[in-house]
Amino acid sequence: GRAVVELVVEGMAQRIESSPERLEDRCLVLPSPKRDRRVADLGAGDDTDLLRVLPLVASFIAGAVLAEVGATLSLRMASTGGDRRWYVPLVLGYVLAFFLISGALSLGMPLGVAYGVWVAVGIVLTAVLSRILFREPLTPLMLGGMGLIVAGVLLVELGGVH
């Protein structure tokens, strides 16, 4: 079979098809100021390789969460304030969020874990900020539900460890 590999060079992603027989053809190339690093078979269970890019993956996920929460709060402002200018950060925030989450996925983060963390942290942060900014309710039952969501994401994460 043929494998699809993504080359990430200075922020530009390029998809190529390659034969899985050669290890070099199955690597993700990451830019580095000093030299290129090759992370072989990301997402294929090699925890050492995944740990090398974990800070970058975490920054992609954190950025995606912040962009999505900002867009969601802009949605609240656009829908209740009557000011159409709020649609600009709304659209840009959602586009940026999907771009960043795809960056985490391209580095080997499993889809279920990436999406789970993104949604769980986004729900909690949106609920807390909605309470602060818009005086929306945040009841103990809601907090309990958010705790269950976070626990569920942790179980998905732990379930993926072999």
Side-chain angles (χ1 to χ4, degrees):
R2 306 207 40 97
V4 175
V5 177
E6 291 205 6
L7 292 176
V8 180
V9 181
E10 298 177 12
M12 300 294 290
Q14 176 185 12
R15 293 180 91 90
I16 61 169
E17 288 192 21
S18 64
S19 173
E21 287 79 41
R22 291 184 32 204
L23 182 60
E24 293 84 31
D25 291 341
R26 294 172 46 208
C27 295
L28 180 67
V29 180
L30 299 173
S32 172
K34 296 182 181 176
R35 62 177 173 77
D36 283 346
R37 293 182 293 156
R38 291 184 176 267
V39 182
D41 292 332
L42 283 175
D46 191 343
D47 294 334
T48 305
D49 288 337
L50 192 56
L51 286 176
R52 282 190 216 156
V53 294
L54 192 57
L56 186 57
V57 170
S59 66
F60 277 138
I61 295 291
V65 168
L66 293 175
E68 187 263 336
V69 168
T72 303
L73 295 174
S74 297
L75 175 64
R76 172 71 156 79
M77 292 301 294
S79 65
T80 59
D83 189 354
R84 292 181 185 247
R85 288 181 290 185
W86 284 104
Y87 286 106
V88 173
L90 183 151
V91 171
L92 293 177
Y94 283 128
V95 168
L96 180 61
F98 280 100
F99 176 77
L100 291 171
I101 200 76
S102 68
L105 296 175
S106 73
L107 291 173
M109 187 168 201
L111 176 62
V113 175
Y115 186 71
V117 169
W118 180 32
V119 170
V121 175
I123 287 172
V124 172
L125 194 55
T126 300
V128 169
L129 289 174
S130 294
R131 172 70 180 145
I132 294 168
L133 297 173
F134 308 121
R135 306 264 187 232
E136 292 184 355
L138 187 59
T139 65
L141 188 58
M142 293 168 73
L143 291 170
M146 286 184 254
L148 289 173
I149 291 169
V150 171
V153 169
L154 289 174
L155 291 174
V156 168
E157 170 90 23
L158 293 173
V161 176
H162 11 316

